[in-house]
């Protein structure tokens, strides 16, 4: 990623680094680029920047390329990086903060499916308090215009009773909806999360 | 041994066989599970990728419900397990946030009870020796690779009932059933379960790596304690491929070995049937 733009201006934003550091509560200054995170990461083959590079990008305040990266979305949250980091940098916490910022600021990179999945998944919880896999899947398929993959698999799962036609039901679903409302209110009021 | 049982969403749908086997095995081993009334989805990776307080509140509501019931929680799904434990640890370490969470939930929450995974409970509260005494049908000649995945062992600051790089609890329990447990290096690798629906190609690659590794180690099947690993390992093994590995839940094998009669009906729910494998081993 270019550190200088076309006009020779630096692309860095020091406040971005401060915000991420504060929100993640993890000391990213301690990273000494040993690459342990990236060597143990199972999904580097699908990333545009390696985890250690992303940490460096945050330190340099390279906000736009960091938040638009594919890396933050294909990270599988497996925690191998953070478990093995000799400096206790909680990289998954960092990824969470970056994903949260990218969504709040509406920054879309090349990778859009994972965020669409999260949206559908949370929509189901908001409606029913629990996951209804079938409607989450349908929403994801419509959002990403992906109609033909896994159809056979889905039918087999329906027949085996592994996908339920009807959404789940339980007593106090309102209690769960109220949580979403309070969170939405907090966000609308601009409170830092 | 009485727990508030938190099944989690998968155990009511894609992993009903896990739920059935957990309930039957625990009842037989004298672990009393009382389903947590009105439990909600823990939010999984979608909540913590979207908003930290949403993640804490969705997990926290279940923790507060268990506190109201006055019971420690037993969880079957490692993804739920890590979410519940992450929230309770953060709230324990930070009383001000704990109060903020109680406000957000509109429920009292004081972090008085703990959350344990069923593998931890069966391993530490029952143990391999006791389990060995209960075996009526040893699963001899069955060669297995125990697969722990991510959240049973990571992050160690949050979970930690077993070693994060070379866990042994499931291996020891299954050896007690008479099976031949293979040593292999894929135990704690990630199967990409959280990306199984959104990034199919990534999940398929990781599943191929894990199943090949298990086969090279001489395993005839993989054993898991995670509903997400289970469906991902079943769904993303290349369709039509010869010698696809069956995937068992550890509780299904305990059920078979201690002679629970309905154990075979759980196995019929699998997408890759293990029945031929069992028959070929005379089981």
């Amino acid at each position: 990623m270019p550190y200088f733009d076309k006009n020779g201006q630096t692309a860095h934003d020091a406040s971005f680094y401060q915000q991420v550091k504060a929100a993640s509560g993890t000391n990213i200054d301690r990273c000494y680029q040993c690459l342990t995170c990236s060597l143990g990461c199972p999904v580097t083959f699908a990333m545009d920047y390696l985890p250690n590079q992303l940490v460096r990008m945050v330190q340099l305040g390279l906000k736009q390329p960091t938040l638009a990266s594919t890396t933050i979305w294909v990270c599988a949250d497996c925690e191998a990086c953070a478990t093995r980091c000799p400096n206790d940098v909680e990289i998954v916490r960092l990824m969470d903060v970056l994903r949260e910022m990218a969504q709040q600021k509406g920054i879309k990179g090349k990778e859009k499916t994972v965020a669409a999945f999260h949206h559908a998944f949370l929509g189901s919880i908001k409606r029913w308090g629990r996951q209804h896999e079938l409607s989450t899947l349908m929403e994801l398929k419509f959002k990403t215009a992906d109609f033909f993959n896994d159809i056979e698999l889905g039918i087999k799962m329906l027949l085996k009773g592994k996908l339920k036609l009807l959404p789940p039901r339980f007593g106090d679903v309102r209690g769960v909806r109220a949580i979403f409302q309070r969170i939405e209110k907090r966000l609308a009021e601009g409170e830092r999360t | 041994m009485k727990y508030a049982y938190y099944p989690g969403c998968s155990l009511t749908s894609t992993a009903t066989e896990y739920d059935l086997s957990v309930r039957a095995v625990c009842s037989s081993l004298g672990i009393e599970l009382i389903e947590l009334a009105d439990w909600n989805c823990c939010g999984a990776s979608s909540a913590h990728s979207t908003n930290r307080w949403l993640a804490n509140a969705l997990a926290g509501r279940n923790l507060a419900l268990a506190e109201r019931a006055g019971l420690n929680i037993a969880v079957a799904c490692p993804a739920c397990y890590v979410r519940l434990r992450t929230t309770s640890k953060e709230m324990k370490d930070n009383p001000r946030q704990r109060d903020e969470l109680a406000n957000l939930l509109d429920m009292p929450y004081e972090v008085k009870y703990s959350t344990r995974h069923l593998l931890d409970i069966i391993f530490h509260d029952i143990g391999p020796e006791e389990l060995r005494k209960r075996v009526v049908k040893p699963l001899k000649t069955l060669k297995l690779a125990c697969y722990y995945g991510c959240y049973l062992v990571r992050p160690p600051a949050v979970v930690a009932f077993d070693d994060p790089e070379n866990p042994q609890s499931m291996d020891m329990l299954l050896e007690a059933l008479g099976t031949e447990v293979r040593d292999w290096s894929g135990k704690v690798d990630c199967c990409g379960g959280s990306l199984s629906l959104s990034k199919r190609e990534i999940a398929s690659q990781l599943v191929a790596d894990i199943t090949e590794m298990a086969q090279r180690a001489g395993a005839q099947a993989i054993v898991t304690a995670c509903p997400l690993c289970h469906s991902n390992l079943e769904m993303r093994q290349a369709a039509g491929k010869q010698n696809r590995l069956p995937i068992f839940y550890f509780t299904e094998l305990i059920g078979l070995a201690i002679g629970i009669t309905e154990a075979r009906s759980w196995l019929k729910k699998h997408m890759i049937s293990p029945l031929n494998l069992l028959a070929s081993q005379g089981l």
Side-chain angles (χ1 to χ4, degrees):
Chain A
M1 84 292 343
Y3 190 63
F4 294 97
D5 68 12
K6 279 180 290 192
N7 306 317
Q9 300 293 312
T10 58
H12 81 272
D13 174 352
S15 69
F16 172 64
Y17 153 74
Q18 294 293 351
Q19 275 172 26
V20 174
K21 193 178 163 186
S24 66
T26 184
N27 192 353
I28 49 176
D29 303 339
R30 292 176 57 141
C31 172
Y32 51 42
Q33 295 291 318
C34 71
L35 271 70
T36 300
C37 52
S38 299
L39 288 169
C41 175
V43 285
T44 49
F45 68 89
M47 288 176 166
D48 45 2
Y49 303 110
L50 298 174
N52 66 292
Q53 291 175 322
L54 209 76
V55 173
R56 191 75 187 115
M57 285 161 70
V58 174
Q59 289 173 338
L60 292 171
L62 298 171
K63 180 175 175 179
Q64 182 62 29
T66 303
L67 295 183
S69 70
T70 297
T71 298
I72 61 175
W73 297 111
V74 298
C75 161
D77 308 324
C78 80
E79 295 276 358
C81 53
T83 299
R84 293 166 190 168
C85 174
N87 289 315
D88 293 332
V89 179
E90 291 177 54
I91 301 175
V92 181
R93 240 339 263 145
L94 187 71
M95 295 286 182
D96 273 349
V97 167
L98 298 174
R99 290 183 279 234
E100 191 168 334
M101 278 185 172
Q103 290 188 79
Q104 270 178 32
K105 294 181 195 307
I107 295 175
K108 291 198 168 86
K110 269 185 266 171
E111 174 46 53
K112 297 183 179 72
T113 322
V114 181
F117 170 77
H118 293 327
H119 190 269
F121 191 95
L122 293 175
S124 175
I125 308 175
K126 195 176 166 182
R127 274 189 292 275
W128 295 298
R130 292 180 189 165
Q131 230 3 258
H132 182 230
E133 287 82 0
L134 192 60
S135 55
T136 300
L137 274 171
M138 296 304 281
E139 184 178 334
L140 183 67
K141 289 206 163 287
F142 276 97
K143 276 216 176 119
T144 56
D146 166 32
F147 300 109
F148 303 110
N149 281 305
D150 290 341
I151 292 295
E152 205 181 320
L153 206 57
I155 293 171
K156 197 171 169 191
M157 291 179 82
L158 269 170
L159 292 175
K160 284 192 177 273
K162 282 175 169 272
L163 284 176
K164 301 269 190 278
L165 283 171
L166 295 176
R169 275 176 184 277
F170 65 98
D172 181 32
V173 67
R174 276 200 219 114
V176 183
R177 286 188 198 137
I179 289 173
F180 278 85
Q181 282 158 6
R182 290 185 204 116
I183 299 275
E184 279 156 16
K185 191 157 165 260
R186 279 172 69 113
L187 285 173
E189 286 165 357
E191 283 183 32
R192 202 172 52 74
T193 53
Chain B
M1 279 183 281
K2 191 166 158 185
Y3 293 91
Y5 174 47
Y6 180 83
C9 304
S10 298
L11 276 84
T12 66
S13 55
T14 55
T16 42
E17 67 271 41
Y18 189 20
D19 183 57
L20 292 169
S21 61
V22 160
R23 289 176 194 262
V25 164
C26 285
S27 148
S28 169
L29 296 177
I31 301 165
E32 192 181 347
L33 300 180
I34 299 161
E35 185 168 334
L36 184 65
D38 272 354
W39 61 269
N40 61 275
C41 174
C42 72
S45 52
S46 295
H48 72 76
S49 296
T50 303
N51 183 291
R52 177 166 170 260
W53 275 105
L54 180 62
N56 278 330
L58 288 174
R61 182 174 173 279
N62 297 303
L63 296 168
L65 285 173
E67 205 162 275
R68 189 187 286 169
L71 291 169
N72 292 320
I73 305 180
V75 195
C77 169
C80 305
Y81 169 65
V82 78
R83 292 323 316 155
L84 297 185
R85 283 190 70 103
T86 298
T87 295
S88 77
K89 180 176 190 299
E90 281 185 19
M91 299 308 134
K92 193 161 199 161
D93 293 350
N94 193 335
R96 207 157 8 126
Q97 295 207 348
R98 188 192 65 197
D99 296 342
E100 202 174 338
L101 178 66
N103 278 336
L104 199 53
L105 294 172
D106 200 14
M107 286 165 92
Y109 178 53
E110 296 172 35
V111 204
K112 282 195 285 194
Y113 294 90
S114 66
T115 301
R116 294 177 70 192
H117 190 270
L118 282 155
L119 178 61
D120 172 18
I121 293 171
I122 296 177
F123 181 73
H124 286 110
D125 296 5
I126 307 290
E129 281 320 304
E130 180 58 31
L131 194 61
R132 199 186 305 273
K133 289 181 209 153
R134 304 287 303 271
V135 171
V136 293
K137 190 169 186 190
L139 305 177
K140 286 221 164 71
T141 72
L142 206 53
K143 297 174 189 66
L144 303 170
C146 290
Y147 176 62
Y148 298 75
C150 305
Y151 300 137
L152 284 174
V153 294
R154 288 192 299 266
V158 174
V159 293
F161 70 85
D162 207 336
D163 188 275
E165 299 289 358
N166 188 13
Q168 296 294 328
S169 52
M170 203 194 305
D171 294 59
M172 287 164 78
L173 288 176
L174 288 174
E175 270 167 5
L177 306 179
T179 68
E180 206 176 295
V181 172
R182 294 295 166 130
D183 212 4
W184 68 310
S185 50
K187 275 183 173 179
V188 296
D189 285 1
C190 173
C191 73
S194 64
L195 301 168
S196 193
L197 297 171
S198 50
K199 303 300 297 174
R200 224 175 276 121
E201 64 291 355
I202 298 179
S204 301
Q205 181 61 53
L206 300 186
V207 167
D209 292 347
I210 287 165
T211 48
E212 273 171 37
M213 226 185 299
Q215 269 164 333
R216 271 205 305 275
Q220 297 163 313
I222 292 178
V223 191
T224 172
C226 175
L228 304 175
C229 298
H230 191 278
S231 35
N232 190 40
L233 288 168
E234 282 201 323
M235 289 192 316
R236 301 296 170 215
Q237 280 192 63
K241 190 185 140 207
Q242 292 293 305
N243 303 325
R244 289 194 302 169
L245 281 181
I247 318 294
F248 287 104
Y249 288 109
F250 78 111
T251 42
E252 291 176 327
L253 292 174
I254 295 177
L256 276 174
I258 65 176
I260 294 175
T261 42
E262 68 265 29
R264 260 163 218 281
S265 67
W266 307 330
L267 306 176
K268 289 184 186 144
K269 293 241 172 206
H270 288 211
M271 302 288 281
I272 300 174
S273 173
L275 295 170
N276 283 343
L277 168 66
L278 292 179
S280 74
Q281 305 298 306
L283 294 167

